[in-house]
């Protein structure tokens, strides 16, 4: 893979700055995944603050040679992205919505309010994406991997 | 009917002026009869009265059904390869002929007003004759006019191969045996219960299970017969002797009670097996029925969908198939079980004691009749409830989609009142039925008790006479107690069967419908498509109404055509013909010189990209929607298409990028965004032919500009047909076609059409007159380059 035809750096404000080969400098660059769910590591766009695409990265692995850029992008993405993985469902307040779920995630214990069943999105036969009342997204990558109790609770909503 | 040959004495050369060519005046009586065959489709009345010249071939005919004073009178109008003639019957039942030979300048023209059509024959100097007809004959008259022009051009008659509907004479499109004309008028007959037997087609794959289910049903019913039977020996051999002081034989009691328990256990197991198996099968039959009707529906032409309400079709496939399923698994099963039970009970009773059996079964028909009577009354009540209920649903279906209008006009209270009113109707209907309904089950139990009373009376008398034992009486009572209660459910079978039959009919309506866009048996192959489109005398009708009147059009590969005209001028129909959503009634559409009817529909449509006024996005992710026409597309392809459609950046702005779901709450896309996704969708399949049906008319001018740039990417190198109301959006078109009432009235580049000051000029003026800066500032000078291109 050829090195990217742009340079990425972080300025004093903690924002990403993009310098393209033809010398344009764009501040406040945000990396955006094109397929955050189906292919998170393929297709990344660097978007300026007006929402215009300034650079395109076909795949994160294409940046292998440029570990610095890759690290910059990955840390920025990590700062922006928050999708806790649900490990266990402890309790749900009711099987009708809105329902408050008490859960364990890979980022700790929490509870959230599920507004309606429609907010549970089936990504594949075994993985789910749940959006809570406030728009926070929780993932269940593999339903089968949940314990029996969690599965029974979850099943009432599917 | 007198034999009407072309006898000179009847000959009546009305209105044929001196300058017209001499009419033929041979008498046919001199000629051998049956010189040329009359078409079999000619009504019988005319078969005997018309004879043809030797070697004369009929090109077209019609029955004109009004006379000159607009009174109903039949007259036959025939075009042959040698002449045009008509034959009417005079009041004295004598045939009257009019005849014109072929000569230059002869022409037919027709028009209609207030349901009466007029067909006029002219030559260069005068009107020769005028026929009047009701519009029911319109289609036939159009055929005559076509045949007439064919005759005038002395074209070979071989080209004409279209068959016509035996009922109404409307020409049928190739391979379709359904007549659009007749379908509109509809053949309405009540659904026969026999239609349920057609379900066998879906039941056949499950023959084995069905047979097993039936055997299980027989066995379980038989097992349930054992228990009442054991009452008899139990009473006579244990209870009665015990009363008399004889010590109880424990072994015997154990045997009988064990038998009772075993039979109950057996009936339970068998009943479970039967119900489960048959429910399983009926559910599968229902599912197969649904899948089959949906699959069939997907292949029907757009015309079919145009004539049906969405809700109706949805109901047919979802609830009707479910109703049939419930009928099969529940009602039919119960009914069969009940019939078996009654038969077996009767047999057992007769075996015990024929007289007792007779008395036991005597009240049965009477009770059944009573129940049936009440049921019939209830049924009309339930039908009323059904109608009242649909009224309630209608208000809902009306109001919820139109909620914005309701709110905008502040009519919430009024809609609520409407709903209340509908709900009140429902209440009243229910109240009326409930009065009878509440009476129903007590009545059934009363009748049952009366029946039992009769048996008791007869039984006690018989026991007192020592004709039967106490055990026999008790057994008989136990038997009838079982099935009297089942009579209610049995009486229901009539109405549920009718309902199921109606449901089956509605589903078979779909399944029996032959697609008007049939797949050819041996589709021609088109390895590479250049994108040259040609329409040859394409005619299209909706029922009797002719929407396209003989369109001749040739579009070069890569050319962009702008279709302009008032709404209803046939633009969309023309595009539908090119997409093969419909087939032309007459004439043909050709792609690279090949009739598209000979191509496989799926293959053909693969070459067509369609961008509609209101782009429909399916529930799914953005990526899935873009890849709708090419499910195997890679992510790179999808992104490239989105970029070209100027959709990439706004997609990235969505919370999940390309993985965002469309139609999900809070993620609604604007009209322009949806349109750009649909452009990306069309781009991805890389079609040779592109159809833009009012692609930009539903968005504001700013968005239109964005879409326009996206469209310019799309149009490049493709044969494009664009329909637009805003003439400004067609500035890239190589050629503009102005359509009016189903015909192309003008064609050419913008400048040329403006210079001509015709229909296009008027349309353009009308738009420019609107104080709309958009039109003033639109770079019409772009059209100059378009003119240059098209004039090469």
């Amino acid at each position: 893979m050829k090195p990217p035809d742009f340079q990425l750096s972080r300025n004093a404000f903690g924002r990403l700055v993009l310098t393209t080969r033809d010398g344009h400098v764009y501040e406040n660059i945000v990396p955006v995944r094109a397929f955050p769910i189906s292919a998170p590591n393929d297709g990344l766009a660097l978007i300026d603050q007006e929402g215009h695409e300034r650079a395109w990265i076909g795949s994160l692995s294409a940046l292998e040679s440029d570990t610095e850029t890759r690290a910059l992008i990955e840390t920025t993405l990590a700062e922006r992205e928050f999708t806790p993985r649900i490990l266990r469902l402890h309790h749900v307040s009711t099987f009708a919505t809105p329902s408050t779920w008490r859960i364990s995630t890979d980022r700790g214990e929490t509870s959230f309010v599920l507004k309606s069943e429609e907010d549970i999105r089936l990504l594949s036969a075994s993985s789910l994406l749940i959006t809570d009342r406030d728009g926070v997204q929780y993932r269940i990558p593999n339903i089968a991997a949940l314990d029996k109790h969690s599965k029974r609770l979850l099943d009432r909503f599917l | 009917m007198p034999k009407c040959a072309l006898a000179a004495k009847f000959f009546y050369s009305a209105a044929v002026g001196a300058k017209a060519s001499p009419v033929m005046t041979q008498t046919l009586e001199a000629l051998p009869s049956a010189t040329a065959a009359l078409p079999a489709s000619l009504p019988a009345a005319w078969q005997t009265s018309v004879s043809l010249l030797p070697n004369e071939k009929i090109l077209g005919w019609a029955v004109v059904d009004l006379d000159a004073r607009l009174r109903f009178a039949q007259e036959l109008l025939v075009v042959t390869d040698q002449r045009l003639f008509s034959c009417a019957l005079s009041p004295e039942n004598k045939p009257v002929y009019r005849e014109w030979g072929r000569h230059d300048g002869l022409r037919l023209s027709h028009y209609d007003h207030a349901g009466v059509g007029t067909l006029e024959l002219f030559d260069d100097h005068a009107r020769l004759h005028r026929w009047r007809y009701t519009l029911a004959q319109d289609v036939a008259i159009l055929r005559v006019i076509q045949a007439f022009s064919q005759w005038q051009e002395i074209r070979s008659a071989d080209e004409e191969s279209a068959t016509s509907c035996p009922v109404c004479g409307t020409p049928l499109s190739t391979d379709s045996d359904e007549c659009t004309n007749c379908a509109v008028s509809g053949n309405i007959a009540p659904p026969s219960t026999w239609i349920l037997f057609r379900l066998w087609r879906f039941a056949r794959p499950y023959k084995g299970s069905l047979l097993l289910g039936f055997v299980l049903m027989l066995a379980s019913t038989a097992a349930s017969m054992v228990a009442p039977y054991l009452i008899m020996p139990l009473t006579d051999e244990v209870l009665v002797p015990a009363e008399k002081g004889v010590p109880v034989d424990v072994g015997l009691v154990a045997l009988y009670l064990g038998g009772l328990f075993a039979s109950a256990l057996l009936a339970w197991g068998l009943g479970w097996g039967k119900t489960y198996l048959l429910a399983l099968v009926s559910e599968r039959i229902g599912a197969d029925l649904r899948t089959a009707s949906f699959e069939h529906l997907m292949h029907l032409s757009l015309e079919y969908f145009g004539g049906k309400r969405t809700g109706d079709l949805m109901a047919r496939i979802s609830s009707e198939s479910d109703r049939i399923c419930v009928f099969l698994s529940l009602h039919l099963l119960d009914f069969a079980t009940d019939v078996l039970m009654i038969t077996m009970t009767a047999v057992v009773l007769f075996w015990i004691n024929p007289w007792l059996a007779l008395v036991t079964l005597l009240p049965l028909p009477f009770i059944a009749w009573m129940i049936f009577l009440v049921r019939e009354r209830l049924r009309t009540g339930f039908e009323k409830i059904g109608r009242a209920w649909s009224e309630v649903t209608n208000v809902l279906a009306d109001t919820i989609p139109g909620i914005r209008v309701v709110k905008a006009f502040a009519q919430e209270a009024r809609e609520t009142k409407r709903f209340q009113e509908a709900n009140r109707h429902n209440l009243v209907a229910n109240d009326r039925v409930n009065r009878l309904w509440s009476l129903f089950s007590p009545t059934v139990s009363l009748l049952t008790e009366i029946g039992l009373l009769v048996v008791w009376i007869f039984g006690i008398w018989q026991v007192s006479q020592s004709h039967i034992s106490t055990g026999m009486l008790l057994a008989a009572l136990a038997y009838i107690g079982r099935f009297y209660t089942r009579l209610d459910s049995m009486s229901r079978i009539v109405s549920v069967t009718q309902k199921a039959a109606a449901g089956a009919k509605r589903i078979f309506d779909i399944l029996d419908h032959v697609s008007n866009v049939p797949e050819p048996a041996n589709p021609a192959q088109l390895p590479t498509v250049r994108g040259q489109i040609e329409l040859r005398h394409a005619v299209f009708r909706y029922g009797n109404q002719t929407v396209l009147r003989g369109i001749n059009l040739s579009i070069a590969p890569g050319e962009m055509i702008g279709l302009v005209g008032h709404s209803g001028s046939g633009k969309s129909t023309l595009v539908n013909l090119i997409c093969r959503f419909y087939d032309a009634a007459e004439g043909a559409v050709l792609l690279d010189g090949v009739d598209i009817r000979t191509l496989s529909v799926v293959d053909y449509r693969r070459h067509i990209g369609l961008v509609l006024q209101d782009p429909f996005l399916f529930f799914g992710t953005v990526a899935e929607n873009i890849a709708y026409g090419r499910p195997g597309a890679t992510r790179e392809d999808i992104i490239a298409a989105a970029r070209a459609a100027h959709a990439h950046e706004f997609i990235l702005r969505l919370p999940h990028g390309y993985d965002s779901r469309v139609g999900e709450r809070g993620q609604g896309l604007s009209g322009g965004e949806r349109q750009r996704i649909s452009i990306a969708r069309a781009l991805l399949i890389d079609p040779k032919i592109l159809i833009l049906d009012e692609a930009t008319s539903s968005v504001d001018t700013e968005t239109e500009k964005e879409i326009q740039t996206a469209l310019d990417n799309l149009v490049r190198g493709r044969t494009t047909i664009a329909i637009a109301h805003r003439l400004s959006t067609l500035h890239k078109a190589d050629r503009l076609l102005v359509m009016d009432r189903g015909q192309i009235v003008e064609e050419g580049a913008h400048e040329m059409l403006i210079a001509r000051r015709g229909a296009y000029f008027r349309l353009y003026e009308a738009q420019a007159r609107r104080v709309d800066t958009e039109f003033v500032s639109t770079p019409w000078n772009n059209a100059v380059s378009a003119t240059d291109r098209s004039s090469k």
Side-chain angles (χ1 to χ4, degrees):
Chain A
M1 276 292 191
K2 64 179 171 62
D5 49 359
F6 57 82
Q7 275 198 326
L8 210 56
S9 59
R10 198 185 280 271
N11 66 10
F13 303 102
R15 306 266 192 246
L16 289 187
V17 177
L18 175 80
T19 314
T20 55
R21 178 164 285 179
D22 50 7
H24 279 97
V25 177
Y26 302 100
E27 292 194 334
N28 282 0
I29 285 290
V30 173
V32 175
R33 296 189 205 267
F35 298 93
I37 294 162
S38 54
N41 290 325
D42 290 342
L44 263 150
L46 300 181
I47 304 285
D48 71 6
Q49 53 191 353
E50 271 83 46
H52 294 299
E53 183 189 14
R54 293 305 171 193
W56 175 256
I57 301 160
S59 162
L60 268 185
S61 51
L63 292 175
E64 209 66 74
S65 53
D66 193 350
T67 40
E68 208 173 307
T69 308
R70 183 173 176 162
L72 263 179
I73 291 174
E74 280 183 339
T75 45
T76 319
L77 283 173
E79 284 162 16
R80 277 165 49 83
E81 288 171 345
F82 177 69
T83 315
R85 211 168 65 230
I86 296 180
L87 302 175
R88 190 177 150 79
L89 274 74
H90 296 293
H91 177 256
V92 298
S93 62
T94 160
F95 291 114
T97 48
S99 164
T100 310
W101 293 23
R102 208 148 48 69
I103 52 166
S104 293
T105 71
D106 59 342
R107 302 192 187 207
E109 306 266 314
T110 184
S111 64
F112 68 84
V113 176
L114 179 77
K115 211 162 55 179
S116 91
E117 281 99 342
E118 289 159 42
D119 292 330
I120 302 178
R121 174 176 166 189
L122 215 61
L123 296 178
S124 69
S126 64
S127 68
L128 291 177
L129 188 72
I130 301 170
T131 312
D132 79 352
R133 192 181 51 185
D134 308 311
V136 178
Q137 315 220 331
Y138 299 88
R139 289 192 73 169
I140 301 180
N142 187 4
I143 300 174
L146 291 175
D147 61 303
K148 211 169 175 183
H149 176 69
S150 308
K151 265 192 272 191
R152 217 183 52 230
L153 289 180
L154 188 63
D155 195 49
R156 295 285 298 265
F157 291 91
L158 299 179
Chain B
M1 178 82 46
K3 173 84 181 163
C4 150
L6 280 182
K9 52 184 170 176
F10 296 136
F11 201 84
Y12 172 44
S13 60
V16 179
K19 290 171 200 122
S21 74
V23 289
M24 287 186 247
T25 50
Q26 311 104 305
T27 52
L28 274 180
E29 280 161 335
L31 293 163
S33 60
T35 45
L38 287 161
S41 52
L42 207 64
W46 301 105
Q47 292 280 9
T48 49
S49 55
V50 175
S51 48
L52 297 173
L53 303 174
N55 301 323
E56 191 171 22
K57 191 169 174 187
I58 290 186
L59 298 177
W61 59 270
V63 175
V64 181
D65 58 353
L66 294 173
D67 67 8
R69 283 162 299 167
L70 293 180
R71 284 191 312 222
F72 286 102
Q74 300 227 316
E75 185 170 356
L76 183 72
L77 183 63
V78 180
V79 181
T80 70
D81 55 352
Q82 298 178 26
R83 58 193 169 131
L84 168 72
F85 69 87
S86 69
C87 177
L89 296 175
S90 67
E92 301 82 47
N93 224 6
K94 298 251 173 77
V96 180
Y97 271 89
R98 296 181 182 87
E99 186 186 40
W100 296 269
R102 184 181 158 269
H103 71 106
D104 290 337
L106 212 57
R107 64 193 157 85
L108 278 173
S109 84
H110 76 119
Y111 61 89
D112 61 75
H113 175 70
V116 175
T118 305
L119 180 71
E120 291 174 312
L121 180 68
F122 297 97
D123 69 2
D124 288 337
H125 312 282
R127 183 171 78 191
L128 304 179
H129 194 68
R130 182 169 73 160
W131 291 273
R132 314 293 299 270
Y133 55 92
T134 63
L135 280 186
Q137 315 300 326
D138 197 41
V139 174
I141 295 288
L142 283 172
R143 301 267 310 158
V144 164
I145 294 170
Q146 203 204 348
F148 180 79
S149 58
Q150 197 180 350
W151 170 50
Q152 287 292 82
E153 292 164 25
I154 329 178
R155 255 196 266 155
S156 74
D158 300 353
E159 275 180 39
E160 200 197 17
S161 60
T163 48
S164 52
C165 172
V167 182
C168 63
T170 307
L172 296 175
S173 52
T174 43
D175 305 333
S176 165
D177 52 359
E178 211 215 343
C179 173
T180 46
N181 201 15
C182 292
V184 173
S185 40
N187 269 331
I188 303 142
S192 147
T193 318
W194 293 109
I195 200 158
L196 284 171
F197 285 96
R198 294 189 55 191
L199 288 173
W200 177 243
R201 177 182 141 196
F202 293 94
R204 201 164 34 210
Y206 307 104
K207 288 199 279 243
S209 311
L210 279 173
L211 191 70
L212 184 62
F214 187 72
V215 171
L216 281 174
M217 186 195 287
L218 266 177
S220 75
T221 313
S224 68
M225 295 271 100
V226 175
Y229 190 80
L230 284 177
I231 290 176
M232 198 164 49
L234 207 59
T235 314
D236 290 342
E237 291 167 31
V238 180
L239 288 180
V240 177
E243 241 173 28
K244 287 174 183 156
V246 182
V248 174
D249 180 351
V250 180
L252 202 64
V253 170
L255 181 72
Y256 287 141
L257 291 185
L260 269 178
F261 183 66
S263 76
L265 213 60
L266 196 66
W268 171 77
L270 288 169
W272 170 76
K274 161 200 85 170
T275 313
Y276 177 66
L277 190 72
L278 291 178
L280 216 66
V281 170
S282 70
E283 204 62 59
R284 268 156 193 69
I285 292 175
D288 289 352
L289 198 63
R290 259 193 297 276
T291 314
S293 39
F294 184 75
E295 193 186 352
H296 191 79
L297 196 65
M298 284 294 106
H299 286 103
L300 287 177
S301 75
L302 213 57
E303 197 175 356
Y304 183 79
F305 291 91
K308 294 275 188 294
R309 288 189 329 233
T310 318
D312 178 56
L313 286 178
M314 275 162 64
R316 281 183 195 214
I317 289 179
S318 58
S319 45
E320 300 292 356
S321 61
D322 195 52
R323 182 179 288 172
I324 289 172
C325 179
V326 168
F327 169 75
L328 291 178
S329 67
L330 226 67
H331 300 300
L332 197 62
L333 190 63
D334 280 354
F335 185 71
T337 313
D338 292 343
V339 168
L340 268 179
M341 197 156 113
I342 288 178
T343 320
M344 284 191 192
T345 310
V347 169
V348 173
L349 282 176
F350 269 100
W351 190 53
I352 296 172
N353 183 312
W355 278 111
L356 188 64
L358 223 54
V359 171
T360 312
L361 296 176
L362 203 65
L364 187 71
F366 179 68
I367 293 172
W369 177 70
M370 288 283 280
I371 289 174
F372 186 73
L373 216 65
V374 181
R375 273 252 154 242
E376 273 303 290
R377 296 186 130 206
L378 273 176
R379 202 169 61 144
T380 52
F382 281 127
E383 277 168 10
K384 271 208 188 73
I385 290 180
R387 279 194 292 274
W389 190 246
S390 68
E391 205 180 313
V392 173
T393 329
N394 273 344
V395 176
L396 284 176
D398 230 28
T399 317
I400 294 174
I403 190 67
R404 286 180 60 167
V405 182
V406 174
K407 286 195 175 296
F409 288 91
Q411 293 299 316
E412 291 96 334
R414 173 181 142 163
E415 292 300 331
T416 311
K417 203 164 154 249
R418 201 153 74 99
F419 187 78
Q420 251 169 15
E421 188 62 23
N423 212 4
R424 201 181 56 78
H425 276 301
N426 183 34
L427 209 61
V428 170
N430 267 301
D431 282 350
R432 206 170 296 147
V433 168
N434 284 343
R435 218 169 295 147
L436 201 63
W437 175 241
S438 54
L439 204 68
F440 184 64
S441 49
T443 313
V444 172
S445 15
L446 180 69
L447 289 173
T448 314
E449 295 299 329
I450 291 174
L452 285 172
L453 207 64
V454 173
V455 179
W456 271 112
I457 295 169
F458 181 77
I460 291 170
W461 178 63
Q462 286 279 301
V463 171
S464 70
Q465 301 281 313
S466 294
H467 288 307
I468 59 167
S469 68
T470 318
M472 283 184 187
L473 175 62
L474 287 180
L477 285 168
Y479 274 121
I480 56 165
R482 292 192 163 210
F483 68 68
Y484 272 177
T485 48
R486 302 297 304 157
L487 282 176
D488 171 34
S489 80
M490 280 182 75
S491 66
R492 236 174 277 173
I493 191 74
V494 178
S495 66
V496 288
T497 309
Q498 280 166 354
K499 273 188 197 152
K505 186 195 171 285
R506 279 157 63 80
I507 286 185
F508 280 111
D509 268 355
I510 297 178
L511 281 172
D512 293 345
H513 196 95
V514 183
S515 174
N516 287 20
V517 182
E519 275 296 329
N522 296 306
Q525 297 294 321
L526 263 191
T528 50
V529 174
R530 289 181 298 125
Q532 193 253 339
I533 301 173
E534 193 183 342
L535 275 83
R536 275 194 205 148
H537 197 77
V539 173
F540 185 78
R541 307 187 182 88
Y542 284 112
N544 257 343
Q545 190 195 357
T546 306
V547 187
L548 290 182
R549 303 164 189 272
I551 302 279
N552 286 302
L553 175 64
S554 179
I555 306 170
E559 191 180 17
M560 179 174 175
I561 295 286
L563 274 182
V564 186
H566 296 290
S567 34
S569 57
K571 303 183 301 268
S572 291
T573 311
L574 182 66
V575 160
N576 284 341
L577 280 190
I578 292 175
C579 290
R580 215 186 159 207
F581 291 144
Y582 307 137
D583 270 343
E586 286 163 45
V589 180
L590 298 98
L591 172 69
D592 294 350
V594 180
D595 190 327
I596 59 170
R597 278 172 296 199
T598 62
L599 299 170
S600 143
V601 179
V602 177
D603 269 353
Y604 174 65
R605 296 229 180 96
R606 197 164 290 152
H607 300 297
I608 295 182
L610 191 60
V611 180
L612 296 170
Q613 177 174 6
D614 189 17
F616 189 85
L617 301 183
F618 291 93
F619 184 80
T621 66
V622 172
E624 281 163 8
N625 265 292
I626 293 176
Y628 188 73
R630 225 180 86 196
T634 62
R635 298 203 175 90
E636 286 72 35
D637 291 341
I638 291 172
I639 291 170
R643 279 217 172 96
H646 290 251
H648 182 62
E649 285 182 350
F650 86 76
I651 292 172
L652 286 180
R653 250 174 269 147
L654 297 174
H656 291 135
Y658 284 84
D659 286 333
S660 306
R661 265 203 292 194
V662 183
E664 206 172 302
R665 279 171 310 129
Q667 292 188 8
L669 300 171
S670 75
E673 287 167 344
R674 296 166 78 87
Q675 190 58 277
R676 276 177 282 166
I677 288 181
S678 84
I679 291 172
R681 178 165 69 188
L683 263 170
L684 191 65
I685 60 169
D686 191 22
K688 275 289 166 204
I689 300 162
L690 188 67
I691 287 164
L692 310 174
D693 193 346
E694 301 275 8
T696 57
S697 58
S698 63
V699 294
D700 57 278
T701 29
E702 196 54 40
T703 320
E704 185 185 343
K705 268 181 209 148
E706 278 193 64
I707 294 178
Q708 202 62 52
T709 43
L711 282 178
D712 292 346
N713 277 338
L714 186 56
V715 165
R716 209 165 294 142
R718 299 174 215 276
T719 308
T720 306
I721 299 161
I723 298 181
H725 268 126
R726 283 187 216 162
L727 301 179
S728 59
T729 53
L730 296 175
H731 67 270
K732 283 250 161 94
D734 299 315
R735 189 153 50 119
L736 294 167
L737 302 179
V738 186
M739 289 195 67
D740 190 33
R741 273 168 269 159
Q743 276 167 327
I744 296 173
V745 288
E746 278 181 343
E747 71 176 276
H750 169 73
E751 302 289 296
M752 199 184 102
L753 292 177
I754 289 289
R756 188 184 280 177
R757 304 198 148 251
Y760 181 78
F761 179 74
R762 284 192 297 277
L763 274 174
Y764 180 69
E765 280 285 279
Q767 288 200 351
R769 222 176 292 130
R770 279 189 240 143
V771 190
D772 194 344
T773 46
E774 172 201 347
F775 285 105
V776 182
S777 62
T778 307
W780 265 113
N781 25 351
N782 279 10
V784 180
S785 61
T787 323
D788 296 340
R789 253 185 293 159
S790 67
S791 57
K792 66 172 179 252

